[in-house]
Every structure is written in C-alpha cells, then in structure tokens.
Amino acid sequence: MSDENKDTEETQDTGESLFEAPPIGEQERMVEAILFATAEPVTVAELTDRMPHGCDPAEALAHLRRRYEGRGVRLVKVGDAWAMRTAPDLGHLMHRETVETRKLSRAAIETLAIIAYHQPVTRAEIEEIRGVSVSRGTVDQLIEMEWIRFGRRKMTPGRPVTFVVTQGFLDHFGLESARDLPGLKELRAAGLLDNRPPPGSLPQMGEGEDDDEETLEGQSELFED
C-alpha cells in the first residue's frame, strides 16, 4: 500500500478527530453564550450541533451548573433541555418585567391540572374526572399557549388521542419534570386548597401518610367550587 493511500485510510479512520476539541473551559463559555442568547431551553443535542466537533456539552453544562450555584441566575434543567433562569428567591425583583397575560378560565385551569397529574389522558378521561364535558375551545386555548400537546394514541377502541403537558409548561412553573408537581400538602400550604370536601367529588381514599393516597386525594381536590 502506498504512503498516500495509507494516509487517506488513516484520515478516514480518525474522521474529524484531527481537529482537536476546544478546552473544557472554552466549551463552558460557548454553552453559556448560547443559553444566554436563547429564550427557549436548549437540549444537549442542539448544543452539540452548534458547537465545534469533539465538544462535550453535557460536561460543559455540569461545570457551568456548579459555577452558577448561589448566583442571581442559575442553570436549570427543563424536561430534557437546559436554560438560564432567575434564582427563585429573587423572583420578586422581576415583577415589573413580567408580561400580563389573559386569565385562564376555571375550565382551562381544571383541564390543565388533570392533564398534568394524569398524563397521558384522553378527552373522555378528562370529562370523567371533571364530571362535565370539555369544550374544544378550552383545549385549543391550552394548545395555543403551548402548555399542552397531543400525546400518543391510546390502544383502546377508536384509538383516542391523549394529551400531555409540554416543556413550555414545565419551564413556566419551574419544574424539571411532571414528577415535581406539588402534592396535596404543598397545595394546601400555598393556600391553593382548603380542607372542605369538593361538592360532587369522586369518592376519596382516607387521609393517611401514604404518598400515593395523598396524590389521589389531591387530584380530586384540585377542582373545588
């Protein structure tokens, strides 16, 4: 084999490894710049596409997250993406910068809560839990706000479509995943629930210390009159 062919073969074997990746400190700066310039959370895959070959965005994110601990802004995980967000204890300083949005109707709030706690859930299941029908306008409003989206079809007769919450919903409420939704005790502590039973509610499991029982009870009590 000639030297020229040998060199070509070695180049093909190594691919782009001839181009050395930037130092991890420089990769961290790149990730930081991308996150600050992007309003929406960014996935590791998207960071990989933007950064030079050979970079390790996941490692850079780990370094960056440690560096921002205790600062006015912090690096948070939103679903499978990452974003820079104001530290929770400083949120009151941003009140003047908040955008006023139209208030959700009671039907929309209840529908959104059911989807968040029961996803993936069909329209029929939402109506069964609420006890009343769900208008198309309510679902359309939540989809337009990008707080819910269509999920997989259920393997039941008719293959009904399901609904799930979006990454935008998680980002708005500062959640890493739907598993971080507050339980019954947290909702009561925040003043979002009182202790009176909701009229016409589904039969409740007894009050106990078991987390699963509290979750079931909390899901029904979300929809008080």
Side-chain angles (χ1 to χ4, degrees):
M1 179 183 297
S2 66
D3 291 342
E4 182 178 350
N5 290 337
K6 185 177 180 180
D7 292 340
T8 301
E9 184 178 345
E10 289 178 353
T11 300
Q12 292 173 345
D13 291 340
T14 59
E16 296 184 63
S17 62
L18 293 175
F19 301 95
E20 185 176 354
I24 190 63
E26 184 63 19
Q27 295 182 41
E28 184 181 339
R29 291 182 65 242
M30 293 178 184
V31 170
E32 183 179 27
I34 293 171
L35 293 178
F36 266 112
T38 308
E40 300 299 325
V42 182
T43 65
V44 173
E46 291 170 336
L47 290 171
T48 301
D49 290 340
R50 296 190 191 188
M51 297 170 67
H53 179 80
C55 287
D56 187 350
E59 183 180 356
L61 283 165
H63 284 276
L64 196 63
R65 194 175 197 178
R66 287 194 296 269
R67 186 155 67 87
Y68 274 93
E69 287 180 356
R71 303 292 297 273
V73 293
R74 62 175 186 162
L75 179 61
V76 298
K77 190 175 183 183
V78 182
D80 60 350
W82 295 84
M84 302 299 296
R85 294 291 181 260
T86 303
D89 60 319
L90 299 179
H92 64 282
L93 300 175
M94 305 297 115
H95 285 177
R96 292 185 179 179
E97 280 65 49
T98 56
V99 178
E100 184 177 355
T101 58
R102 58 180 178 176
K103 186 177 180 179
L104 283 177
S105 65
R106 178 182 180 83
I109 294 173
E110 292 179 353
T111 300
L112 179 62
I114 292 171
I115 294 172
Y117 279 91
H118 295 265
Q119 63 176 337
V121 61
T122 66
R123 181 190 294 269
E125 291 168 339
I126 296 173
E127 293 176 343
E128 181 180 357
I129 295 171
R130 286 193 67 214
V132 295
S133 62
V134 178
S135 70
R136 182 173 180 177
T138 296
V139 174
D140 288 345
Q141 180 187 10
L142 295 174
I143 292 177
E144 181 182 346
M145 295 176 67
E146 298 184 348
W147 279 5
I148 67 170
R149 63 176 176 81
F150 294 113
R152 64 179 184 273
R153 289 187 176 274
K154 201 159 189 178
M155 300 300 291
T156 55
R159 299 289 307 280
V161 70
T162 61
F163 299 96
V164 297
V165 295
T166 65
Q167 183 170 281
F169 168 85
L170 298 177
D171 188 22
H172 182 85
F173 290 100
L175 305 171
E176 181 173 333
S177 72
R179 292 188 299 272
D180 298 321
L181 285 165
L184 177 61
K185 288 183 178 179
E186 289 83 354
L187 292 174
R188 279 179 173 162
L192 299 177
L193 292 177
D194 58 30
N195 292 316
R196 60 186 175 86
S201 63
L202 296 175
Q204 298 298 313
M205 300 181 68
E207 291 263 354
E209 294 301 321
D210 185 78
D211 290 341
D212 292 337
E213 293 183 355
E214 287 183 357
T215 300
L216 290 172
E217 183 182 2
Q219 289 167 359
S220 295
E221 290 197 24
L222 280 173
F223 317 120
E224 297 180 332
D225 288 328

